Amino acid sequence: MEKMGVLEGRKELVVALAGNPNSGKTSLFNELTGSRQHVGNWPGVTVEKKEGRLKFQGIDFKVVDLPGTYSLGAYTEDEMIARNFIIYDKPDVVINVVDATNLERNLYLTMQLLEMNANLVIALNMSDEAKAKGIEIDKDKLSQILKVPVVMTVATKGEGVKELLENVLKAVEFKGERYRIDYGKELEEGISELESLIKEDEELSKKFFPRWLAIKFIENDENIMKEFSSKTALMEKVKLIQKKLEGIFGEDAEVVVADKRYGVISGIVKECVKKRSTPEERYTLSDRIDRIVTNKYLGIPIFLVAMWAVFEFTFALGNPLSDWIEMFFDWLGEVTASWLESIAAPDILISFIRDGIIAGVGSVLVFIPPIFLLFFAISVLEDSGYMARAAYVMDRFMTALGLHGKSFIPMLIGFGCNVPGIMATRTLENTEDRLVTILVNPLMSCAARLPVYVLFAGAFFAENQGLVVFSIYLLGIVLAVIMAKIFKKFLFKGKTAPFVMELPPYRVPTLKGLLIHMWERGSLFVRKAGTIILGVVVLVWILSSLPAGVEYASAESYIGRLGSAVAPILKPAGFGTWEAASALIFGILAKETVVGTLGVVYGAEGDALFEAIRQHFTPLSAYAFMVMTLIYIPCVATIAAIRRETNSWKWTFFAIGYTLILGWLMAVIIYQGGKLLGFN
Amino acid sequence: MLKKGGIVLPISMLPPGKKAVVVDIIGGEGIRRRLIDMGIVRGVEILVVKNDVGPLIVGVGEMRFALGFGMAQKILVEEL
Ligand SMILES: Nc1nc2c(ncn2[C@@H]2O[C@H](COP(=O)(O)OP(=O)(O)OP(=O)(O)O)[C@@H](O)[C@H]2O)c(=O)[nH]1
Ligand SMILES: [Mg+2]
């Protein structure tokens, strides 16, 4: 309780987690706050700021998890978020999460944090991996040199968390000096000259730690230079000093500054790190795995097999489980109907419960098992470190498009859901590349579209279900690639940003981690079933039952009339029925409701729904319908994400328009082409 | 530090298994800065893990990077 003093009358302590990508910030955040934010083994998992709370020794903490960044010189949207929070929001304490296996590179950011006088505590994370690799870090020595508390942590196991918090509390009260790099006479002269100018300017010195700002000026930091371009007198001085230093050193001042930093770091590392003498190993286990996984001949086949395995796994295990859920809903439907009849409930209520709620929501919930299993399988790819390799392997294609491998990661994430997929484009350096990657993301088939495929493929292609669904996903990738090429060629002629991406070491996913991921994303789907899908289903039922006296779900009902108005356009694609048309219309609200709507208008779920589908579609028109569902108009949540991330209505409408046209064209080509080839 | 007189060449020309020291990074400021931030700087020892088709894979200490070919051409090294 006596610790309350550190708050100095404020409500809570603000603690930010900053560090290199993939160093374990989010794992630590989850451990600290009991949250379940997304963790994955590739750089760039977290792309937005997340807050969580905790109480320790009677004090309230607000913990902020930030995207990873290699330096404070932010190039990408996600790095910008981290940078801005640290320099403008000025958290009380910054926990610098450092990957202990890569101390040298990680300390580069640490030096910059020290320079801006952030109140630091270092978490030497991944200390288990460091130990396994024979890297011994003398943390007391490190702490002594940097004059910053250093705590060993293993975020995934929660080790060191308590000690970390104790040190955070100590750091709040810290008043002394931290370590400061001596940049050598010439640079220091320039720095102090600018520093005194900055100190004279009240606006500047209030906003920033003067020495840090001075160094940023000398480094010619893009963001900082832009921010202060209007201060002409100061800028002139900056240019002058930069010129002078370049004269002395014979190269850009920024390189000299960086060299100096790394030089100092290298000295510190020599003092604090002992690598147990192991027999000289050029290649790590990860390298050996990479030799196969990224092999020039095997890389792409392995990627395709991995994807195919995901679907086989999803269906082989998912279908029998779905059957059980289906049996449950069949039973539920019967029991409720007969009970309602026994209490002489009005017909309309029976229809509402049986045709509306149970057929509508039930037909979607049946797909819980495959969706959960799909998320499970995706998590395996994410946690193992394969994501970055897939990006590497696909770089060959992406380069042909004028994009690069990194653009493939948002596309892979899109397989789970397009909203995080679109947000993941924040990690791309180049705005044009980012826009293209956003625009094609909806073509990556998300989990919400899976029920449609399972239903239709199950009804017509039960033998080859996995393969048929796989073909749809593949079609999505191919179309995304073609569209990206077209967009890049005609709309965004800019050049591609150079490609450099960190490949994290392979890690064995933990079952606990996988289950948490599966649960987190899967339960969102269940929640969606209880909210938006339920809402849409009720709406569809009402529209099916009105106007009063109309035969339920007939062409004369409101929904029948709505669907009939659109159906003729869909006729060339082979599914010109009002039922299919209205399913597509309501599917825009959430793709699961394509199935939900069909369930309501056919008044069936489970086996009966399969039967109804077989009556109203042919194998060929079913395939065309699956393709249409894959491509046409993104769901509203995705549309909103596109709007938010592009910050433009123009591109948002463009995305809606081109997907609609493309979807229709593809469905028509498949149906008409298939008929010509003699399919039915 | 650097031996005098060694041959300086872009890392894209080294076969896998070779180790080299970074001598210079040419090319635009943006590229250089990105590499500096990621720890690929002058004087650093770099290992070529893979170099056939597609991006190179290189190692700096325990870290591994995928480097686009264009990028790799801009990193000048001296073979060890
Ligand atoms: N062995 C080990 N693995 C860890 C530790 N901390 C995190 N990891 C793993 O490292 C990977 C990255 O963890 P994240 O918490 O997502 O890292 P992050 O810093 O938030 O990453 P970005 O959001 O991409 O910047 C995951 O696979 C974690 O399971 C640790 O202390 N020991
Ligand atoms: Mg994270």
Side-chain angles (χ1 to χ4, degrees), chain A residues 252 259 262 282 392 501 503, chain B residues 17 32 36 42 55 64 66 68:
Chain A
D252 292 350
D259 272 356
Y262 274 113
R282 247 179 207 204
Y392 175 92
M501 178 180 68
L503 299 173
Chain B
R32 194 171 56 192
I36 288 176
R42 218 169 4 193
R64 294 293 178 266

Side-chain angles (χ1 to χ4, degrees), chain A residues 572-634:
Chain A
F575 43 84
T577 62
W578 71 262
E579 291 97 336
S582 45
L584 289 173
I585 293 171
F586 288 100
I588 297 169
L589 295 172
K591 292 294 163 87
E592 296 93 332
T593 51
V594 171
V595 168
T597 305
L598 288 174
V600 177
V601 296
Y602 292 138
E605 49 83 33
D607 274 339
L609 186 54
F610 277 105
E611 208 32 66
I613 299 281
R614 275 191 215 106
Q615 272 170 27
H616 290 82
F617 290 81
T618 66
L620 187 59
S621 71
Y623 196 79
F625 187 77
M626 284 157 74
V627 170
M628 181 72 175
T629 307
L630 164 71
I631 306 168
Y632 91 105
I633 307 189

Side-chain angles (χ1 to χ4, degrees), chain A residues 178-309:
Chain A
R178 304 290 197 196
Y179 179 79
R180 157 195 286 213
I181 291 185
D182 179 0
Y183 282 99
K185 187 166 160 293
E186 291 89 354
L187 275 169
E188 286 294 345
E189 266 173 28
I191 293 171
S192 53
E193 204 171 325
L194 283 176
E195 208 181 329
S196 48
L197 279 179
I198 293 164
K199 278 184 184 150
E200 282 164 24
D201 187 321
E202 201 158 314
E203 184 202 336
L204 287 182
S205 54
K206 233 198 204 126
K207 210 162 164 193
F208 297 103
F209 191 60
R211 180 178 164 86
W212 178 76
L213 189 58
I215 296 172
K216 283 288 141 191
F217 278 136
I218 287 180
E219 278 187 287
N220 205 22
D221 181 281
E222 218 175 291
N223 301 310
I224 290 286
M225 296 304 262
K226 224 183 278 160
E227 187 171 345
F228 299 110
S229 55
S230 59
K231 293 195 181 282
T232 39
L234 182 64
M235 280 329 221
E236 259 163 44
K237 190 80 204 159
V238 169
K239 287 269 173 291
L240 217 68
I241 290 177
Q242 284 177 349
K243 273 261 147 46
K244 190 173 142 206
L245 289 170
E246 274 154 35
I248 296 173
F249 292 102
E251 59 190 334
D252 292 350
E254 51 164 304
V255 179
V256 182
V257 171
D259 272 356
K260 194 77 206 177
R261 270 194 206 126
Y262 274 113
V264 166
I265 290 168
S266 161
I268 295 175
V269 169
K270 274 205 191 83
E271 269 191 76
C272 303
V273 180
K274 266 207 246 38
K275 185 145 169 45
R276 210 176 43 230
S277 58
T278 42
E280 161 94 50
E281 270 180 44
R282 247 179 207 204
Y283 298 115
T284 60
L285 179 62
S286 283
D287 290 336
R288 278 187 264 271
I289 299 174
D290 272 339
R291 196 163 298 165
I292 302 164
V293 170
T294 64
N295 180 280
K296 65 174 154 179
Y297 303 114
L298 296 177
I300 294 196
I302 288 176
F303 170 70
L304 292 177
V305 168
M307 271 190 51
W308 175 78

Side-chain angles (χ1 to χ4, degrees), chain A residues 19-28 38-47 65-69 97 125-129 153-157 382-383 507:
Chain A
N20 284 182
N22 216 40
S23 58
K25 297 174 294 301
T26 306
S27 304
L28 195 56
H38 196 60
V39 168
N41 188 18
W42 83 89
V45 180
T46 309
V47 293
D65 183 24
L66 296 170
T69 179
V97 183
N125 196 37
M126 312 246 182
S127 48
D128 54 336
E129 283 193 5
T153 60
V154 181
T156 37
K157 296 202 190 94
E382 288 186 351
D383 289 5
R507 295 197 167 98

